[in-house]
């Protein structure tokens, strides 16, 4: 999915969320958070491929999502999924949008991030 499709999926499938743009110097950086506890569950922005550690020219949209640390090692072997850019790499991951990550996998990881950051979620 591309950025527009990803943002639409979030708005259509998750209740009680707020989208904002907290940094004036990065106006394309959108944060999605729970309205009740204000916790982030997704951040969508743009970066150069090089910044994300990829050997390609140009820029690309990406999404950062919270993830269960026990799943991270196996997930990093999937297309388009990287250690988190600019976030805690033990609890977050980055997905390069339009990079080969299957749409259903992206949707399931957005759902997981939403649930992990919900008010009622309890840590292990």
């Amino acid at each position: 999915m591309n950025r527009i499709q990803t943002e639409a999926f979030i708005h259509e499938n998750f209740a009680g969320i707020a989208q904002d743009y907290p940094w004036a110097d990065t106006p394309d950086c959108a944060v999605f958070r729970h309205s009740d506890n204000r916790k982030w569950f997704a951040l969508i922005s743009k970066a150069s491929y090089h910044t994300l550690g990829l050997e390609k020219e140009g820029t690309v949209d990406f999404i950062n999502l919270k993830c269960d640390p026990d799943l991270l090692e196996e997930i990093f072997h999937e297309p388009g999924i990287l250690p988190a850019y600019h976030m805690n790499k033990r609890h977050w991951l980055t997905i390069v949008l339009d990079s080969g990550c299957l749409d259903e996998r992206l949707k399931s990881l957005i759902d997981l991030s939403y649930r992990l950051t919900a008010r009622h979620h309890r840590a292990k």
Side-chain angles (χ1 to χ4, degrees), residues 43 62-68 71-72 75-76 80-85 87-96 105-106 109-110 112-113:
L43 176 145
F62 68 90
I63 185 169
N64 284 348
L65 299 169
K66 187 146 190 177
C67 189
D68 183 331
L71 299 176
L72 287 176
I75 289 175
F76 290 147
I81 302 178
L82 309 169
Y85 169 66
M87 303 283 278
N88 181 315
K89 290 171 181 29
R90 177 158 160 66
H91 297 279
W92 290 80
L93 56 81
T94 291
I95 300 174
V96 180
R105 182 56 150 168
L106 175 57
L109 290 170
I110 293 169
L112 175 62
S113 184

Side-chain angles (χ1 to χ4, degrees), residues 5 27 31 39 59 90 96:
Q5 293 166 322
V31 171
K39 285 187 177 182
T59 59
R90 177 158 160 66
V96 180

Side-chain angles (χ1 to χ4, degrees), residues 4 10 14 17 19 23 58 71 73 82 87 92 104 109:
I4 293 169
I10 292 170
F14 301 97
I17 66 161
Q19 178 179 353
W23 303 286
L71 299 176
E73 283 305 313
L82 309 169
M87 303 283 278
W92 290 80
E104 290 309 311
L109 290 170

